[in-house]
Short mmCIF file of all heavy atoms in Angstrom, two decimals:
data_model
loop_
_atom_site.label_atom_id
_atom_site.label_comp_id
_atom_site.label_asym_id
_atom_site.label_seq_id
_atom_site.Cartn_x
_atom_site.Cartn_y
_atom_site.Cartn_z
N GLN A 1 -38.26 -0.26 19.33
CA GLN A 1 -38.14 1.16 19.68
C GLN A 1 -38.45 1.53 21.06
O GLN A 1 -37.94 2.37 21.68
CB GLN A 1 -38.94 2.13 18.70
CG GLN A 1 -38.36 2.03 17.27
CD GLN A 1 -39.31 2.81 16.27
OE1 GLN A 1 -40.49 3.09 16.69
NE2 GLN A 1 -38.73 2.95 15.16
N ARG A 2 -39.32 0.61 21.67
CA ARG A 2 -39.90 0.97 22.99
C ARG A 2 -39.05 0.16 24.03
O ARG A 2 -38.95 0.75 25.17
CB ARG A 2 -41.40 0.48 22.99
CG ARG A 2 -42.01 0.71 24.44
CD ARG A 2 -43.40 0.36 24.38
NE ARG A 2 -44.00 0.48 25.69
CZ ARG A 2 -45.04 1.19 26.04
NH1 ARG A 2 -45.64 1.98 25.17
NH2 ARG A 2 -45.58 1.14 27.22
N GLY A 3 -38.47 -0.90 23.67
CA GLY A 3 -37.73 -1.67 24.75
C GLY A 3 -37.05 -2.93 24.18
O GLY A 3 -36.57 -2.90 23.02
N ARG A 4 -37.03 -3.99 24.95
CA ARG A 4 -36.33 -5.19 24.52
C ARG A 4 -37.23 -6.33 24.09
O ARG A 4 -38.28 -6.35 24.74
CB ARG A 4 -35.47 -5.73 25.69
CG ARG A 4 -34.16 -4.83 26.01
CD ARG A 4 -33.47 -5.43 27.11
NE ARG A 4 -34.10 -5.01 28.39
CZ ARG A 4 -34.03 -5.70 29.48
NH1 ARG A 4 -33.20 -6.92 29.48
NH2 ARG A 4 -34.58 -5.43 30.59
N VAL A 5 -36.87 -7.12 23.11
CA VAL A 5 -37.72 -8.11 22.52
C VAL A 5 -37.03 -9.47 22.62
O VAL A 5 -35.94 -9.66 22.15
CB VAL A 5 -38.04 -7.66 21.01
CG1 VAL A 5 -38.89 -8.80 20.38
CG2 VAL A 5 -38.78 -6.44 20.83
N TYR A 6 -37.81 -10.44 23.13
CA TYR A 6 -37.37 -11.84 23.37
C TYR A 6 -38.46 -12.74 22.75
O TYR A 6 -39.58 -12.56 22.92
CB TYR A 6 -37.22 -12.08 24.82
CG TYR A 6 -36.20 -11.23 25.49
CD1 TYR A 6 -36.50 -10.03 26.09
CD2 TYR A 6 -34.75 -11.67 25.48
CE1 TYR A 6 -35.54 -9.29 26.70
CE2 TYR A 6 -33.74 -10.83 26.04
CZ TYR A 6 -34.26 -9.66 26.69
OH TYR A 6 -33.20 -8.80 27.25
N ILE A 7 -37.95 -13.77 22.08
CA ILE A 7 -38.77 -14.83 21.59
C ILE A 7 -38.81 -15.99 22.48
O ILE A 7 -37.81 -16.43 23.03
CB ILE A 7 -38.26 -15.28 20.13
CG1 ILE A 7 -38.28 -14.19 19.20
CG2 ILE A 7 -39.11 -16.59 19.65
CD1 ILE A 7 -39.76 -13.62 18.84
N VAL A 8 -40.05 -16.45 22.83
CA VAL A 8 -40.16 -17.66 23.85
C VAL A 8 -41.07 -18.61 23.03
O VAL A 8 -42.20 -18.37 22.87
CB VAL A 8 -40.73 -17.21 25.14
CG1 VAL A 8 -39.73 -16.46 25.90
CG2 VAL A 8 -42.01 -16.25 24.83
N THR A 9 -40.53 -19.67 22.56
CA THR A 9 -41.19 -20.54 21.65
C THR A 9 -40.83 -22.04 22.03
O THR A 9 -39.71 -22.48 22.29
CB THR A 9 -40.78 -20.27 20.25
OG1 THR A 9 -41.54 -21.19 19.30
CG2 THR A 9 -39.40 -20.40 19.98
N ASN A 10 -42.00 -22.82 21.83
CA ASN A 10 -41.79 -24.33 21.87
C ASN A 10 -41.36 -24.75 20.36
O ASN A 10 -41.67 -24.06 19.43
CB ASN A 10 -42.97 -24.99 22.21
CG ASN A 10 -43.21 -25.15 23.73
OD1 ASN A 10 -42.19 -25.00 24.47
ND2 ASN A 10 -44.35 -25.37 24.24
N GLY A 11 -40.80 -26.05 20.27
CA GLY A 11 -40.49 -26.48 18.95
C GLY A 11 -39.00 -26.84 18.73
O GLY A 11 -38.22 -26.80 19.59
N SER A 12 -38.86 -27.27 17.49
CA SER A 12 -37.54 -27.68 17.00
C SER A 12 -36.55 -26.52 16.86
O SER A 12 -36.84 -25.49 16.30
CB SER A 12 -37.77 -28.44 15.68
OG SER A 12 -36.51 -28.32 14.97
N GLU A 13 -35.34 -26.71 17.42
CA GLU A 13 -34.33 -25.70 17.20
C GLU A 13 -34.09 -25.34 15.78
O GLU A 13 -34.00 -24.26 15.38
CB GLU A 13 -33.02 -26.19 17.89
CG GLU A 13 -31.79 -25.23 17.68
CD GLU A 13 -30.56 -25.82 18.25
OE1 GLU A 13 -30.62 -26.96 18.76
OE2 GLU A 13 -29.53 -25.18 18.05
N TYR A 14 -33.99 -26.34 14.97
CA TYR A 14 -33.60 -26.28 13.52
C TYR A 14 -34.76 -25.41 12.81
O TYR A 14 -34.50 -24.57 12.06
CB TYR A 14 -33.53 -27.60 12.76
CG TYR A 14 -33.37 -27.56 11.37
CD1 TYR A 14 -32.17 -27.14 10.74
CD2 TYR A 14 -34.49 -28.02 10.55
CE1 TYR A 14 -32.06 -27.03 9.37
CE2 TYR A 14 -34.29 -27.90 9.12
CZ TYR A 14 -33.19 -27.46 8.61
OH TYR A 14 -33.02 -27.43 7.20
N ILE A 15 -36.07 -25.84 13.01
CA ILE A 15 -37.07 -25.22 12.30
C ILE A 15 -37.33 -23.80 12.90
O ILE A 15 -37.48 -22.85 12.04
CB ILE A 15 -38.47 -26.06 12.62
CG1 ILE A 15 -38.41 -27.26 11.79
CG2 ILE A 15 -39.64 -25.11 12.04
CD1 ILE A 15 -39.59 -28.20 12.00
N GLN A 16 -37.30 -23.61 14.17
CA GLN A 16 -37.50 -22.20 14.75
C GLN A 16 -36.35 -21.28 14.24
O GLN A 16 -36.63 -20.15 14.02
CB GLN A 16 -37.62 -22.39 16.17
CG GLN A 16 -38.88 -23.15 16.65
CD GLN A 16 -40.19 -22.76 16.07
OE1 GLN A 16 -40.44 -23.04 15.00
NE2 GLN A 16 -41.04 -22.37 16.98
N ARG A 17 -35.19 -21.73 14.35
CA ARG A 17 -34.01 -20.88 13.94
C ARG A 17 -34.17 -20.54 12.44
O ARG A 17 -33.95 -19.28 12.01
CB ARG A 17 -32.73 -21.56 14.18
CG ARG A 17 -32.31 -21.64 15.66
CD ARG A 17 -31.93 -20.29 16.20
NE ARG A 17 -31.56 -20.32 17.63
CZ ARG A 17 -31.23 -19.21 18.25
NH1 ARG A 17 -31.20 -18.08 17.67
NH2 ARG A 17 -30.97 -19.33 19.64
N ARG A 18 -34.56 -21.43 11.72
CA ARG A 18 -34.77 -21.18 10.25
C ARG A 18 -35.92 -20.11 10.04
O ARG A 18 -35.82 -19.15 9.21
CB ARG A 18 -35.07 -22.40 9.50
CG ARG A 18 -35.14 -22.17 7.95
CD ARG A 18 -35.09 -23.46 7.15
NE ARG A 18 -35.31 -23.19 5.71
CZ ARG A 18 -35.28 -24.04 4.70
NH1 ARG A 18 -34.99 -25.36 5.17
NH2 ARG A 18 -35.55 -23.89 3.55
N HIS A 19 -37.02 -20.29 10.77
CA HIS A 19 -38.18 -19.43 10.63
C HIS A 19 -37.78 -18.04 11.10
O HIS A 19 -38.31 -17.08 10.69
CB HIS A 19 -39.30 -19.96 11.30
CG HIS A 19 -39.95 -21.03 10.52
ND1 HIS A 19 -41.09 -21.78 10.98
CD2 HIS A 19 -39.76 -21.57 9.28
CE1 HIS A 19 -41.45 -22.67 10.16
NE2 HIS A 19 -40.62 -22.63 9.07
N LEU A 20 -37.03 -17.94 12.16
CA LEU A 20 -36.62 -16.67 12.69
C LEU A 20 -35.77 -15.89 11.67
O LEU A 20 -36.02 -14.63 11.48
CB LEU A 20 -35.57 -16.87 13.88
CG LEU A 20 -36.26 -17.20 15.23
CD1 LEU A 20 -35.33 -17.71 16.29
CD2 LEU A 20 -36.90 -16.02 15.85
N GLN A 21 -35.01 -16.69 10.88
CA GLN A 21 -34.16 -15.93 9.93
C GLN A 21 -34.97 -15.65 8.64
O GLN A 21 -35.11 -14.46 8.15
CB GLN A 21 -33.11 -16.85 9.42
CG GLN A 21 -32.06 -16.30 8.40
CD GLN A 21 -31.33 -15.10 9.03
OE1 GLN A 21 -30.80 -15.23 10.16
NE2 GLN A 21 -31.26 -13.98 8.36
N ASP A 22 -35.79 -16.61 8.12
CA ASP A 22 -36.56 -16.42 7.00
C ASP A 22 -37.72 -15.47 7.21
O ASP A 22 -38.15 -14.84 6.21
CB ASP A 22 -37.14 -17.84 6.45
CG ASP A 22 -36.06 -18.77 6.03
OD1 ASP A 22 -34.89 -18.36 5.79
OD2 ASP A 22 -36.38 -19.95 5.78
N GLY A 23 -38.29 -15.53 8.34
CA GLY A 23 -39.36 -14.54 8.61
C GLY A 23 -38.93 -13.15 8.87
O GLY A 23 -39.76 -12.24 9.09
N GLY A 24 -37.64 -12.81 9.00
CA GLY A 24 -37.11 -11.46 9.22
C GLY A 24 -37.36 -11.04 10.71
O GLY A 24 -37.41 -9.88 11.00
N ILE A 25 -37.34 -11.94 11.58
CA ILE A 25 -37.65 -11.67 12.92
C ILE A 25 -36.38 -11.43 13.76
O ILE A 25 -36.31 -10.49 14.59
CB ILE A 25 -38.47 -12.85 13.76
CG1 ILE A 25 -39.82 -13.04 12.96
CG2 ILE A 25 -38.53 -12.69 15.18
CD1 ILE A 25 -40.52 -14.40 13.50
N LEU A 26 -35.32 -12.17 13.46
CA LEU A 26 -34.12 -12.13 14.14
C LEU A 26 -33.39 -10.76 14.33
O LEU A 26 -32.99 -10.48 15.50
CB LEU A 26 -33.04 -13.17 13.47
CG LEU A 26 -31.99 -13.70 14.41
CD1 LEU A 26 -32.62 -14.42 15.61
CD2 LEU A 26 -31.17 -14.67 13.60
N PRO A 27 -33.43 -9.91 13.45
CA PRO A 27 -32.77 -8.54 13.60
C PRO A 27 -33.50 -7.74 14.73
O PRO A 27 -32.80 -6.79 15.30
CB PRO A 27 -33.11 -7.87 12.29
CG PRO A 27 -33.14 -8.95 11.34
CD PRO A 27 -33.86 -10.00 12.01
N TYR A 28 -34.66 -8.12 15.14
CA TYR A 28 -35.36 -7.36 16.07
C TYR A 28 -35.20 -7.89 17.57
O TYR A 28 -35.77 -7.42 18.56
CB TYR A 28 -36.88 -7.15 15.92
CG TYR A 28 -37.11 -6.46 14.56
CD1 TYR A 28 -37.25 -7.18 13.35
CD2 TYR A 28 -36.96 -5.13 14.39
CE1 TYR A 28 -37.50 -6.53 12.09
CE2 TYR A 28 -37.22 -4.46 13.14
CZ TYR A 28 -37.42 -5.28 12.04
OH TYR A 28 -37.60 -4.53 10.87
N CYS A 29 -34.54 -9.08 17.65
CA CYS A 29 -34.56 -9.86 18.95
C CYS A 29 -33.31 -9.52 19.71
O CYS A 29 -32.20 -9.42 19.29
CB CYS A 29 -34.45 -11.34 18.60
SG CYS A 29 -35.95 -11.94 17.81
N ASP A 30 -33.61 -9.35 21.06
CA ASP A 30 -32.53 -9.21 22.07
C ASP A 30 -32.10 -10.55 22.71
O ASP A 30 -31.13 -10.64 23.27
CB ASP A 30 -32.94 -8.23 23.21
CG ASP A 30 -33.16 -6.82 22.79
OD1 ASP A 30 -32.05 -6.11 22.64
OD2 ASP A 30 -34.19 -6.45 22.42
N GLY A 31 -32.91 -11.56 22.37
CA GLY A 31 -32.69 -12.88 22.90
C GLY A 31 -33.76 -13.85 22.35
O GLY A 31 -34.92 -13.45 22.04
N VAL A 32 -33.37 -15.16 22.22
CA VAL A 32 -34.26 -16.19 21.78
C VAL A 32 -34.31 -17.35 22.76
O VAL A 32 -33.13 -17.88 22.97
CB VAL A 32 -33.92 -16.63 20.35
CG1 VAL A 32 -34.80 -17.80 19.88
CG2 VAL A 32 -33.98 -15.53 19.39
N PHE A 33 -35.38 -17.74 23.18
CA PHE A 33 -35.56 -19.01 24.07
C PHE A 33 -36.43 -20.00 23.30
O PHE A 33 -37.68 -19.84 23.24
CB PHE A 33 -36.22 -18.54 25.42
CG PHE A 33 -35.50 -17.52 26.12
CD1 PHE A 33 -35.89 -16.12 26.07
CD2 PHE A 33 -34.25 -17.79 26.80
CE1 PHE A 33 -35.27 -15.20 26.73
CE2 PHE A 33 -33.65 -16.78 27.47
CZ PHE A 33 -34.08 -15.55 27.46
#
């Protein structure tokens, strides 16, 4: 609500992408690194 949200994370693409989805994080993201 305040601005733009970006994820900046180390790790495996497969695991992090799955956790983004399963954790309910992705809908709030403007970008993922």
Side-chain angles (χ1 to χ4, degrees):
Q1 290 170 349
R2 182 178 175 122
R4 290 177 284 150
V5 177
Y6 298 90
I7 298 298
V8 283
T9 179
N10 276 341
S12 156
E13 173 186 357
Y14 172 74
I15 292 174
Q16 301 303 69
R17 286 286 177 185
R18 183 163 172 182
H19 285 177
L20 282 165
Q21 187 66 47
D22 293 350
I25 299 169
L26 207 52
Y28 300 98
C29 295
D30 292 277
V32 174
F33 301 102

